[in-house]
Amino acid sequence: MTDFQEDVHVEGVHLRKATFARVGLHDARVRAADLSGLRLSGVELVDVEISGELRNVVVNGVDIVPLVEAELNRRMPERARMRPEDPEGFAEAWAILRRLWAGTLARAATFPEARLHRSVDGEWSFIQTLRHLNFASAAWVGRMIVGDVSPWHPLDLPWDEAPGWDGVPWDREAQPSLEEVLAVRRARQAMVGQVVASLTAERLAADVTRDEPGWPRLTGFPLKECLYIVLHEEWEHRLYAERDLNALQKED
C-alpha cells in the first residue's frame, strides 16, 4: 500500500465489478450500500459490525444467515412471529408490535422532546423514525392494499436514499412535535389494524396491483408481502429506536 488517505467521503458512486487489492478499510463505515455479489478473500475481518438484510452470506464455507436468524429468535422469541402464514398469525404479530411500541413510546415520553429530535450516530432521530414508519404503512397498506393512490401526509418520511417521486412528501428537516407525528401514527395503525382484522385465507393469498404514478408501483405483488414489509419495518425500527434511546439516556 503506497498511498494513505483518511476521512475520505464517497457517495453516489457505483463500483460494479470493481476490484480492490491491497487496500485498507480500517475503521471505515459503509452505510446504505448494495453489497450483493460481494466477494472477499484473503481479508482480515476483525472487530467488524454488520447490520442489514442478510441472505446467502457465506463465511469460510458456512452460510451464517440461518445461524444469525436462529440466535436472534432465541434472544427475542417474539421475532419469529413476524413471519405469519395465516390471518390469526398476522393478528398476533400486529398485537405484539402494538404492545412493544406502547412500551417504547412510554419510555420516549420521559425524555425532553428536544432530545427526541436528536440524531444518534448520524441515524434518524426518534421522531424521524416514527415519521418513516408512517410512510411505510401508507405505502404498503394505504396505497398497495387499501388502494389510496396518494395516501400521504406532509410529515411522511421516505428512506434517505429514495429516488423521490412527484406528489410524495419528503421533508427530512421538518421539526414536528411528537404529538403531531403520533396523531398520524394512530390513524395509520388503525388502518393497518382494520386490514389485519379483515384478513381471510383467500385475501391473504391474493395479489395486488398499483400501476398509477407514484410509489410503490407494482403489478401482481403478493398482498402477504406488503404486510410482511410493514411488520419488518415496525420490528426493526423499534429496535433502532430503543438503541438510540439508550444512547440518549447516557447523556444525562
Side-chain angles (χ1 to χ4, degrees):
M1 192 180 306
T2 59
D3 188 24
F4 180 85
Q5 299 183 50
E6 190 170 356
D7 295 328
V8 177
H9 183 83
V10 180
E11 183 173 349
V13 176
H14 296 274
L15 299 173
R16 183 178 174 85
K17 297 185 178 180
T19 298
F20 298 89
R22 297 182 300 278
V23 297
L25 296 174
H26 189 77
D27 291 332
R29 177 167 180 159
V30 180
R31 182 177 183 273
D34 182 355
L35 300 177
S36 303
L38 178 68
R39 296 292 182 268
L40 304 175
S41 60
V43 300
E44 296 182 26
L45 210 59
V46 181
D47 295 330
V48 173
E49 180 177 333
I50 300 173
S51 174
E53 180 181 354
L54 305 181
R55 287 183 292 173
N56 301 321
V57 181
V58 179
V59 178
N60 292 339
V62 178
D63 184 357
I64 66 170
V65 174
L67 307 177
V68 173
E69 288 293 304
E71 176 60 16
L72 289 174
N73 289 342
R74 185 193 68 80
R75 296 181 184 184
M76 301 172 288
E78 290 173 317
R79 180 180 182 274
R81 308 288 181 86
M82 297 299 115
R83 293 291 295 183
E85 291 295 334
D86 53 36
E88 294 76 19
F90 276 96
E92 180 185 28
W94 187 241
I96 289 170
L97 288 168
R98 293 295 302 271
R99 172 174 55 79
L100 292 174
W101 265 109
T104 298
L105 289 172
R107 182 186 178 197
T110 67
F111 286 72
E113 187 160 304
R115 198 172 297 183
L116 300 180
H117 283 288
R118 191 176 304 169
S119 170
V120 175
D121 199 22
E123 302 292 343
W124 281 331
S125 69
F126 184 86
I127 288 178
Q128 286 172 328
T129 293
L130 296 180
R131 293 175 58 201
H132 175 68
L133 291 175
N134 288 344
F135 168 80
S137 294
W140 294 105
V141 176
R143 180 175 161 95
M144 289 300 297
I145 297 179
V146 176
D148 183 349
V149 299
S150 185
W152 317 114
H153 185 280
L155 292 176
D156 289 344
L157 184 62
W159 68 100
D160 282 350
E161 294 76 26
W165 311 272
D166 290 340
V168 179
W170 193 351
D171 184 0
R172 194 186 195 281
E173 304 309 316
Q175 296 280 300
S177 68
L178 177 61
E179 179 52 36
E180 285 179 285
V181 174
L182 288 178
V184 181
R185 182 155 171 78
R186 286 190 288 268
R188 296 283 168 74
Q189 288 185 313
M191 174 188 65
V192 176
Q194 289 171 0
V195 168
V196 169
S198 67
L199 284 176
T200 63
E202 294 75 18
R203 179 65 170 146
L204 200 52
D207 292 339
V208 290
T209 292
R210 288 290 161 262
D211 54 13
E212 302 88 352
W215 189 86
R217 194 173 187 178
L218 297 165
T219 300
F221 193 77
L223 182 145
K224 182 186 291 187
E225 290 296 327
C226 295
L227 293 174
Y228 280 155
I229 291 170
V230 171
L231 296 183
H232 176 78
E233 289 283 302
E234 291 279 344
W235 178 271
E236 294 296 334
H237 281 285
R238 193 192 72 84
L239 296 180
Y240 301 151
E242 287 283 354
R243 174 200 65 194
D244 292 347
L245 289 176
N246 288 341
L248 292 171
Q249 194 167 36
K250 292 177 181 178
E251 297 178 3
D252 289 334

